[in-house]
Amino acid sequence: MNRQLPPLYALRAFEAAARHASFTRAAEELAITQSAVSRHIKTLEEHFACRLFQRRGRQLELTETARMLLPGLRDGFDALERACASLRAEEGVLRLKAPSTLTMRWLLARLSRFRMQHSDIEVQLTSAWMDVDRVDFVHEPFDCAVLLSSGHFPPDWEATLLFPEWLIPVGAPALLADGPWDAGRLAAAELLHPTPDRRDWRRWLQRMGLGEKVSLKGGQVFDTLELGIVAATRGYGVSIGDLVMVAEDANQGRLALPWPAAVASGESYYLVWPRARRHQERLRRLRDFLQAEVQAMQLPPVELLD
């Protein structure tokens, strides 16, 4: 297909001049002369048969036509930069995105062991807060991601189940001094909410048949599971956590499970990556390692309720 596009160098000069509102600063960025920038802009104006800039005193302003052109052009250059960056990426590096609580509670320790066993692979981890876990492999610089999801992914992705999310109340070890809790004690407790919509407590209470007995009103609200868990272990109340993520602390007595019943949220953690991405063999090695880590875990002796 014959693309009727103006010269790339002219488009680049226009984007830089528009961003800086200055031919001089655009020239400095592109390491060319100011007159060269002017010639490139003139080339574009002749191609489009319209003006792109106008002078108002010393101020350089975009015309209406130029303002229409600029957003798509910026997106195009961003896409080109990402495409080139992916090819420049080091051969032995995997770029991984993961939720912040999962990173702190489970993933960091596993990646440390992975590096010891696979010294030829470097995993560059980016921990991100996400109210709804997502990754955009087209616009974000990642090779793979761990996401909490219902399991519905694009058909061109590889997706491997790591473990389901089991919701369970968590608190300070002192909470178990009088034995397991009952509905009355839970209703009287200060509930800590790791999500502003309080969805995790709601799911657990409804499955346990306690939705009418325990109020969700009041209580401190956080925006991550991690903050809720930390606040609970310090004695500020009872939070809801993920069984896998609190397993080690619970097994070692650093955290208590006052009501030893975990409820499936309906979502699970998956390792995902595009099938068209490079490093497929390295991605499979990471997948196999994480799956083995899940299999080796010792969960606290609690009741699991679907």
Side-chain angles (χ1 to χ4, degrees):
M1 181 174 62
N2 183 20
R3 298 183 183 272
Q4 299 299 315
L5 294 175
L8 183 63
Y9 60 79
L11 292 171
R12 189 71 182 93
F14 164 73
E15 189 276 334
R19 178 160 32 86
H20 292 296
S22 167
F23 285 6
T24 300
R25 293 178 63 187
E28 292 173 353
E29 176 183 316
L30 300 175
I32 59 177
T33 65
Q34 181 179 346
S35 61
V37 173
S38 298
R39 289 196 302 272
H40 295 333
I41 300 302
K42 183 177 181 181
T43 297
L44 285 185
E45 291 178 335
E46 291 175 351
H47 178 88
F48 293 119
C50 66
R51 293 288 301 277
L52 297 175
F53 292 95
Q54 56 188 9
R55 290 279 185 184
R56 297 199 182 277
R58 294 186 176 182
Q59 187 67 33
L60 187 66
E61 294 184 357
L62 294 173
T63 64
E64 185 64 30
T65 301
R67 282 193 289 269
M68 293 173 59
L69 173 64
L70 186 58
L73 195 58
R74 282 177 174 167
D75 290 344
F77 278 116
D78 287 344
L80 285 172
E81 185 174 350
R82 286 190 299 271
C84 293
S86 66
L87 292 179
R88 289 196 305 266
E90 297 179 49
E91 185 64 26
V93 173
L94 293 179
R95 298 162 298 175
L96 170 65
K97 180 181 183 181
S100 55
T101 300
L102 177 78
T103 296
M104 295 300 298
R105 290 267 159 188
W106 191 82
L107 193 55
L108 276 178
R110 273 77 195 176
L111 291 182
S112 178
R113 289 196 284 271
F114 179 78
R115 283 191 292 270
M116 294 176 64
Q117 297 182 23
H118 302 270
S119 59
D120 60 320
I121 303 176
E122 177 186 350
V123 179
Q124 293 181 351
L125 173 62
T126 297
S127 173
W129 178 87
M130 296 177 279
D131 182 48
V132 177
D133 289 7
R134 59 168 59 92
V135 65
D136 183 344
F137 287 119
V138 175
H139 297 98
E140 294 183 284
F142 301 113
D143 300 301
C144 54
V146 178
L147 304 177
L148 179 64
S149 170
S150 60
H152 300 292
F153 299 111
D156 58 342
W157 286 15
E158 289 284 348
T160 297
L161 172 67
L162 295 178
F163 55 85
E165 181 182 48
W166 294 97
L167 301 174
I168 190 167
V170 299
L175 295 181
L176 291 182
D178 299 324
W181 285 27
D182 57 19
R185 190 173 178 187
L186 186 60
E190 176 84 358
L191 298 189
L192 306 177
H193 302 279
T195 56
D197 60 8
R198 306 167 193 247
R199 61 180 179 265
D200 292 335
W201 265 119
R202 184 176 292 107
R203 288 171 176 171
W204 189 87
L205 290 170
Q206 289 176 349
R207 178 61 182 84
M208 298 297 299
L210 299 173
E212 301 298 323
K213 298 180 180 180
V214 179
S215 174
L216 290 176
K217 295 181 180 179
Q220 180 65 50
V221 176
F222 301 97
D223 58 7
T224 67
L225 281 172
E226 175 67 12
L227 290 175
I229 293 169
V230 170
T233 57
R234 293 183 179 179
Y236 294 110
V238 182
S239 189
I240 199 83
D242 180 285
L243 180 62
V244 171
M245 295 190 205
V246 301
E248 182 177 346
D249 283 343
N251 288 336
Q252 297 185 12
R254 295 190 295 265
L255 173 149
L257 306 177
W259 197 302
V263 170
S265 72
E267 297 182 310
S268 300
Y269 285 95
Y270 293 83
L271 176 66
V272 300
W273 71 81
R275 292 193 181 100
R277 193 63 50 122
R278 297 192 306 160
H279 315 311
Q280 292 293 309
E281 189 270 337
R282 290 180 171 86
L283 288 163
R284 287 190 288 269
R285 286 163 64 186
L286 177 62
R287 174 201 63 194
D288 294 345
F289 177 85
L290 293 179
Q291 284 185 312
E293 286 287 312
V294 172
Q295 294 298 319
M297 288 194 66
Q298 296 293 323
L299 296 180
V302 303
E303 184 180 9
L304 301 180
L305 302 174
D306 292 329

